[in-house]
């Protein structure tokens, strides 16, 4: 059974700092991995999708890497801003495709101005 | 192209009442997933549907919960005889028929049972 763990559970950093969020998963037979952002009381916004054959994806100040063999992904946020404050969720999809996503509990990020 | 639409956004029910949550997938998407998020917990899969078919309901409680995705209209998640433990945010996601695609989520329905 796939399990996804995110460390740390919460993180507080000063504005401008570069930071890394970690995600690990127990079953390396994944189809893709997706990072989401969730603002309090809101829905999920997809940030980056990494296919199983890819090593990383970039979007603006965000960079996500995937090491499938070790069951790890990192989300790197450069030059953090107060507007980045949110909960970041990592989710993996099983090998068959269109199988449900398995989520971690998230990392709650606060960027202090 | 509107995103995934869920309604209502907030729903308050008394214990024992029924709750109906609706989800309209993105245009062209025929796969719908329902997830539940309890306070301080991650999202947990409940049920996966395609038009007129339940594909996987392994995450849905056997009692009181049901889901459908009719040929016409939105997907419905129905909770009968709600209890306080059903209070949570319920999210719907949709994807197109092809495999290995990005999941798009709605804004969720926040159910409060009083």
């Amino acid at each position: 059974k796939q399990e996804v763990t995110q460390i740390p559970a919460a993180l507080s950093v000063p504005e401008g700092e570069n930071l890394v969020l970690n995600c690990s998963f127990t079953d390396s037979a994944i189809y893709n991995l997706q990072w989401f952002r969730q603002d309090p009381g809101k829905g999920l916004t997809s940030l980056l999708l990494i296919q199983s054959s890819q090593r990383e994806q970039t979007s603006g100040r965000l960079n996500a890497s995937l090491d499938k063999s070790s069951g790890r992904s990192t989300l790197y946020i450069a030059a953090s801003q107060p507007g980045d404050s949110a909960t970041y969720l990592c989710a993996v999809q099983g090998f068959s495709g269109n199988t449900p996503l398995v989520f971690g509990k998230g990392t709650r990020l606060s960027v202090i101005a | 192209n509107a995103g995934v639409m869920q309604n209502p956004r907030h729903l308050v029910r008394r214990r024992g009442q029924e709750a109906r949550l609706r989800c309209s997938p993105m245009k062209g998407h025929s796969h719908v997933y329902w997830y539940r998020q309890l306070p301080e917990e991650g999202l947990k899969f409940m049920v996966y549907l395609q038009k007129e078919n339940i594909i996987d309901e392994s995450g849905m409680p056997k009692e009181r919960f049901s889901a459908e995705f009719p040929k016409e209209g939105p997907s419905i998640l129905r909770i009968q005889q709600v209890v306080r433990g059903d209070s949570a945010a319920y999210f719907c996601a949709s994807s197109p028929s092809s495999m290995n695609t990005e999941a798009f989520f709605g804004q969720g329905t926040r159910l409060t049972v009083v």
Side-chain angles (χ1 to χ4, degrees):
Chain A
K1 178 186 170 187
Q2 179 73 270
E3 292 183 4
V4 179
T5 303
Q6 291 188 246
I7 294 173
L11 181 63
S12 183
V13 300
E15 182 178 6
E17 192 162 300
N18 302 325
L19 57 102
V20 174
L21 308 181
N22 297 293
C23 171
S24 62
F25 46 95
T26 54
D27 185 350
S28 61
I30 64 168
Y31 216 60
N32 60 46
L33 182 146
Q34 203 164 348
W35 282 93
F36 294 89
R37 169 184 172 141
Q38 185 177 26
D39 293 282
K42 304 289 186 184
L44 278 68
T45 301
S46 178
L47 298 173
L48 290 164
L49 171 72
I50 310 178
Q51 312 285 7
S52 61
S53 58
Q54 297 175 322
R55 295 299 299 265
E56 66 177 339
Q57 282 283 351
T58 298
S59 175
R61 294 182 294 109
L62 305 179
N63 175 277
S65 68
L66 174 64
D67 184 344
K68 204 171 69 163
S69 61
S70 68
R72 296 185 183 192
S73 176
T74 60
L75 179 66
Y76 175 82
I77 302 177
S80 58
Q81 303 170 358
D84 294 331
S85 298
T87 296
Y88 290 81
L89 299 169
C90 167
V92 298
Q93 185 173 38
F95 192 73
S96 298
N98 273 330
T99 55
L101 293 170
V102 178
F103 282 84
K105 290 186 178 182
T107 293
R108 190 167 58 252
L109 173 66
S110 296
V111 181
I112 312 299
Chain B
N1 187 9
V4 179
M5 304 300 290
Q6 289 188 250
N7 67 81
R9 292 291 305 279
H10 301 275
L11 182 61
V12 179
R13 284 287 178 265
R14 296 187 184 280
R15 280 178 295 171
Q17 290 185 320
E18 177 180 289
R20 280 186 176 238
L21 288 63
R22 294 174 183 75
C23 169
S24 296
M26 289 181 69
K27 188 176 180 181
H29 287 193
S30 58
H31 299 239
V32 166
Y33 306 80
W34 286 92
Y35 294 83
R36 176 166 66 175
Q37 186 177 38
L38 294 166
E40 303 303 319
E41 293 288 326
L43 277 78
K44 302 291 186 187
F45 165 73
M46 298 182 74
V47 60
Y48 164 34
L49 310 103
Q50 294 180 24
K51 284 284 187 181
E52 299 184 276
N53 287 304
I54 296 175
I55 306 302
D56 181 355
E57 56 183 346
S58 60
M60 197 157 67
K62 298 286 188 287
E63 308 279 332
R64 303 187 296 108
F65 285 72
S66 63
E68 62 177 8
F69 189 15
K71 187 176 179 180
E72 300 291 336
S75 175
I76 306 285
L77 179 66
R78 182 182 177 205
I79 312 172
Q80 295 179 292
Q81 299 172 2
V82 296
V83 301
R84 288 227 170 101
D86 297 332
S87 296
Y90 292 82
F91 290 95
C92 167
S94 74
S95 67
S97 57
S98 59
M99 295 172 68
N100 204 19
T101 55
E102 193 171 353
F104 294 88
F105 280 77
Q107 292 293 298
T109 293
R110 278 151 187 85
L111 172 65
T112 302
V113 180
V114 297

